[in-house]
């Protein structure tokens, strides 16, 4: 069965304390993996697309990486404004998109 | 630039009442449109998608229906709401490889 699992469910960091969020997946026929950011009471906002193992994408303090079984979202020296829920989604070659349940990140000053 | 509007932001409805949520997109023509539901502790679930006027595909059998009366308008409806219909409803446009979401409607069925 296709599955996308994100861990941890919640993460509390001190400002400047770097960490990583994990997205592990078991799907047949992976076409791509995506990261979204969702602020409370808002719709998700697209961050990154990763298509092949070894690929990396960066945006400000965020860097996304992909292996054959998981993706990491690395947050370097986070700031309070990075607080949000980060969603991972996997796209199958059947055009089916499967979302994880997200990691809720809180960054404290 | 493209923008997506979704309303209302919050809605409290009694069980058995009807529902109509509306979504409109500006700045693009013939967009693919989607309705998602986000329930607590669950990933975003695709409910409906549309590739054109009058063309609706349903992903999950349920108490809801969707319509696309105009190119950039997508409506989610129900004749009689159930408690289990509560959740955060999101409209989106784009493709599976990049979705642009509206701000969502928090629906509480009591």
């Amino acid at each position: 069965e296709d599955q996308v699992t994100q861990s941890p469910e919640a993460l509390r960091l001190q400002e400047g304390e770097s960490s990583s969020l994990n997205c592990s997946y078991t799907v047949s026929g992976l076409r791509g993996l995506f990261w979204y950011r969702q602020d409370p009471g808002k719709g998700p906002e697209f961050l990154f697309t990763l298509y092949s193992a070894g690929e990396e994408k960066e945006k400000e303090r965020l860097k996304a990486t992909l292996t054959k079984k998981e993706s990491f979202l690395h947050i370097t020296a986070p700031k309070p404004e990075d607080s949000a829920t980060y969603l991972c989604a996997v796209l199958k070659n059947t055009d089916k998109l499967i979302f994880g349940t997200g990691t809720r990140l809180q960054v404290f000053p | 630039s493209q923008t997506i509007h979704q309303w209302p932001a919050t809605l409290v409805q009694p069980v058995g009442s009807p529902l109509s949520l509306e979504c409109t997109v500006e700045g693009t023509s013939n967009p693919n449109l989607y309705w998602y539901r986000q329930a607590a502790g669950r990933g975003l679930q695709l409910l409906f998608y549309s590739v054109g006027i009058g063309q609706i595909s349903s992903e999950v059998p349920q108490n809801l229906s969707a319509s696309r009366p105009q190119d950039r308008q997508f409506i989610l409806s129900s004749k009689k709401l159930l408690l289990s219909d509560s959740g955060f409803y999101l409209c989106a446009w784009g493709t599976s490889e990049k979705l642009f979401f509206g701000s969502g409607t928090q629906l509480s069925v009591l």
Side-chain angles (χ1 to χ4, degrees):
Chain A
E1 183 187 348
D2 298 324
Q3 206 162 14
V4 178
T5 304
Q6 291 189 247
S7 62
E9 287 186 14
L11 182 62
R12 292 163 57 99
L13 297 174
Q14 203 72 33
E15 184 173 3
E17 180 187 1
S18 302
S19 188
S20 295
L21 282 55
N22 178 263
C23 172
S24 63
Y25 57 90
T26 52
V27 301
S28 54
L30 175 74
R31 198 165 106 201
L33 185 142
F34 314 98
W35 284 96
Y36 285 82
R37 170 192 169 127
Q38 185 174 21
D39 292 305
K42 303 292 183 184
E45 179 184 339
F46 176 83
L47 290 174
F48 300 112
T49 303
L50 300 164
Y51 286 113
S52 55
E55 190 175 357
E56 297 183 353
K57 293 279 180 71
E58 286 190 64
K59 181 180 179 179
E60 296 180 358
R61 294 176 292 282
L62 300 176
K63 182 168 81 173
T65 62
L66 180 64
T67 72
K68 288 188 177 180
K69 295 201 171 176
E70 59 191 348
S71 175
F72 292 93
L73 185 65
H74 308 277
I75 303 177
T76 302
K79 297 182 177 181
E81 52 262 42
D82 295 321
S83 298
T85 296
Y86 290 86
L87 302 174
C88 165
V90 168
L91 180 64
K92 297 183 56 163
N93 54 15
T94 57
D95 210 34
K96 182 178 180 181
L97 189 64
I98 305 167
F99 280 87
T101 53
T103 292
R104 188 174 66 256
L105 173 66
Q106 292 178 292
V107 182
F108 295 91
Chain B
S1 64
Q2 301 87 0
T3 55
I4 180 168
H5 304 279
Q6 189 181 342
W7 66 93
T10 59
L11 193 59
V12 180
Q13 293 285 96
V15 170
S17 64
L19 172 74
S20 181
L21 301 180
E22 189 165 342
C23 169
T24 58
V25 179
E26 295 178 359
T28 183
S29 57
N30 197 31
N32 294 334
L33 296 174
Y34 305 81
W35 278 111
Y36 278 87
R37 178 168 58 201
Q38 189 174 36
R42 298 187 63 182
L44 282 163
Q45 180 185 38
L46 179 63
L47 302 176
F48 301 95
Y49 70 92
S50 171
V51 298
I53 295 174
Q55 300 178 63
I56 310 293
S57 296
S58 173
E59 289 295 304
V60 181
Q62 60 220 316
N63 184 43
L64 302 168
S65 62
S67 61
R68 186 169 176 174
Q70 300 180 43
D71 182 43
R72 288 169 286 179
Q73 184 185 28
F74 206 21
I75 297 173
L76 183 70
S77 305
S78 174
K79 292 183 179 178
K80 289 186 178 182
L81 283 168
L82 306 172
L83 286 173
S84 58
D85 291 324
S86 293
F88 191 50
Y89 289 82
L90 289 156
C91 179
W93 73 274
T95 68
S96 296
E97 301 200 21
K98 192 168 188 178
L99 291 168
F100 299 91
F101 287 89
S103 53
T105 295
Q106 183 64 52
L107 173 65
S108 299
V109 182
L110 306 176

